């Protein structure tokens, strides 16, 4: 339960990064303690979720008040980044509006993200947008890697990239390695989870040994975020999870 002990444990097991979606929700003093312990162990930290301020509706609308709420959330995220050293803030643009043509929605999302990216770039922060599959997360605007890629290309900023969540991608597009290659220039981070079941690697159909080898050879050195559950509960399940990652990280000669 202690985040500092958790970091120490991860380091002892050979992990080189942690991942905390809720980092922005933590008390600033605790954020600073986390940063100290990560630095002490020479560890990285993956993207944290940017919490939009009240009034921040879906980005699909041409809504000035909504954009101001997103900007306010970004300012808080920048402060979190400064305290922790976390360089990636994750955004899900919001819900789809079935009564508004998709092209208008896309243009509005691009305009909002472009404004946010300009602020983020000045503060050494990267926004990463995440597409989610429409089966488990129905009704959202951003649902696939090609769509996220086209939006990032349109914004054309080093501070607007995407998260490639390979669990979601297996459900939406499949063809994981070719899609990684096509979208490579706009991928800022990866999330991991096997499918079906969204548990640790080896419990589903995704060949993470080959995928990790592929992105390693392409030069990726950021965090691989374990955004999934465990196939077995309790301490035994934690041991199984750690061993699963050792197996898929075993591709070097």
């Amino acid at each position: 339960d202690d985040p500092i002990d958790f970091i120490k444990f991860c380091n002892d097991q050979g992990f080189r990064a942690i991942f905390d979606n809720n980092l922005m929700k933590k008390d600033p003093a605790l954020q600073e303690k986390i940063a100290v312990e990560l630095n002490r162990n020479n560890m990285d930290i993956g993207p944290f979720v940017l919490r939009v301020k009240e009034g921040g509706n879906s980005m699909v609308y041409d809504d000035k008040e909504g954009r101001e709420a997103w900007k306010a959330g970004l300012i808080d995220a920048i402060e979190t980044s400064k305290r922790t050293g976390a360089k990636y803030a994750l955004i899900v643009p919001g819900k789809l509006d079935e009564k508004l043509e998709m092209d208008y929605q896309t243009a509005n999302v691009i305009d909002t993200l472009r404004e946010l990216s300009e602020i983020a770039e000045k503060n050494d922060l990267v926004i990463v947008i995440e597409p989610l599959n429409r089966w488990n997360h129905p009704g959202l605007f951003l649902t696939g890697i090609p769509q996220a890629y086209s939006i990032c290309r349109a914004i054309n900023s080093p501070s607007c990239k995407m998260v490639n969540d390979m669990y979601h991608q297996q459900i939406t597009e499949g063809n994981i390695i070719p899609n990684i290659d096509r979208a490579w220039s706009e991928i800022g981070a990866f999330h991991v989870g096997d499918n079906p079941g969204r548990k640790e690697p080896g419990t589903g159909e995704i060949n993470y040994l080959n995928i990790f080898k592929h992105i390693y050879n392409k030069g990726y050195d950021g965090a691989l975020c374990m955004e999934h559950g465990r196939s077995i509960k309790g301490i035994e399940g934690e041991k199984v999870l750690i061993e699963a990652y050792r197996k898929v990280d075993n591709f070097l000669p």
Side-chain angles (χ1 to χ4, degrees):
D1 294 329
D2 184 334
I4 306 306
D5 284 343
F6 173 75
I7 294 169
K8 291 176 181 177
F9 176 78
C10 290
N11 181 62
D12 289 344
Q13 297 301 317
F15 289 101
R16 306 309 316 140
I18 67 163
F19 166 57
D20 187 350
N21 267 335
N22 294 314
L23 182 67
M24 195 168 166
K25 286 184 174 182
K26 288 182 166 56
D27 183 81
L30 179 55
Q31 292 177 0
E32 291 173 356
K33 289 180 181 178
I34 289 171
V36 168
E37 189 63 25
L38 289 173
N39 288 333
R40 192 177 71 82
N41 291 287
N42 194 28
M43 294 176 70
D44 198 359
I45 184 168
F48 62 92
V49 173
L50 187 151
R51 304 292 174 180
V52 63
K53 292 292 189 179
E54 185 176 351
N57 298 319
S58 174
M59 291 183 182
V60 303
Y61 302 109
D62 184 11
D63 175 10
K64 183 177 180 180
E65 182 178 336
R67 288 183 185 175
E68 291 303 315
W70 279 103
K71 288 179 186 177
L74 176 60
I75 297 304
D76 285 350
I78 289 168
E79 293 305 311
T80 297
S81 173
K82 289 178 179 178
R83 283 190 291 267
T84 63
K87 296 302 182 184
Y88 295 89
L90 187 151
I91 285 178
V92 175
K95 293 183 178 180
L96 180 76
D97 188 336
E98 295 183 355
K99 296 181 179 180
L100 182 63
E101 287 83 355
M102 193 67 175
D103 291 338
Y104 292 127
Q105 296 185 63
T106 300
N108 291 332
V109 170
I110 290 171
D111 285 346
T112 302
L113 286 172
R114 183 176 287 123
E115 287 189 42
L116 296 179
S117 299
E118 289 173 357
I119 298 170
E121 188 173 351
K122 294 175 183 176
N123 290 275
D124 197 26
L125 183 69
V126 179
I127 293 166
V128 283
I129 57 175
E130 182 180 10
L132 307 179
N133 81 77
R134 61 182 181 272
W135 286 270
N136 301 124
H137 303 273
L140 294 179
F141 167 79
L142 192 62
T143 60
I145 295 297
Q147 181 191 14
Y149 174 77
S150 65
I151 289 171
C152 290
R153 286 293 296 270
I155 294 166
N156 192 29
S157 167
S159 282
C160 185
K161 299 296 179 182
M162 75 171 87
V163 171
N164 185 323
D165 185 314
M166 292 177 278
Y167 162 75
H168 289 298
Q169 192 195 325
Q170 177 67 0
I171 295 172
T172 54
E173 295 97 29
N175 208 24
I176 290 179
I177 287 177
N179 273 298
I180 287 173
D181 287 344
R182 292 187 183 108
W184 185 254
S185 65
E186 307 306 321
I187 295 174
F190 287 95
H191 283 182
V192 178
D194 216 335
N195 181 65
R198 201 169 190 173
K199 301 296 191 296
E200 69 270 13
T203 56
E205 63 189 1
I206 302 177
N207 189 336
Y208 273 110
L209 180 68
N210 282 351
I211 291 170
F212 286 175
K213 179 180 179 180
H214 186 74
I215 62 177
Y216 174 86
N217 287 334
K218 289 180 75 71
Y220 182 76
D221 64 354
L224 295 164
C225 304
M226 299 158 60
E227 195 179 47
H228 57 73
R230 289 173 291 171
S231 59
I232 301 173
K233 295 181 179 179
I235 292 175
E236 187 59 34
E238 292 182 0
K239 293 177 181 178
V240 168
L241 181 147
I242 291 168
E243 184 57 30
Y245 274 92
R246 289 188 173 134
K247 287 180 180 178
V248 295
D249 192 39
N250 191 30
F251 53 80
L252 294 178

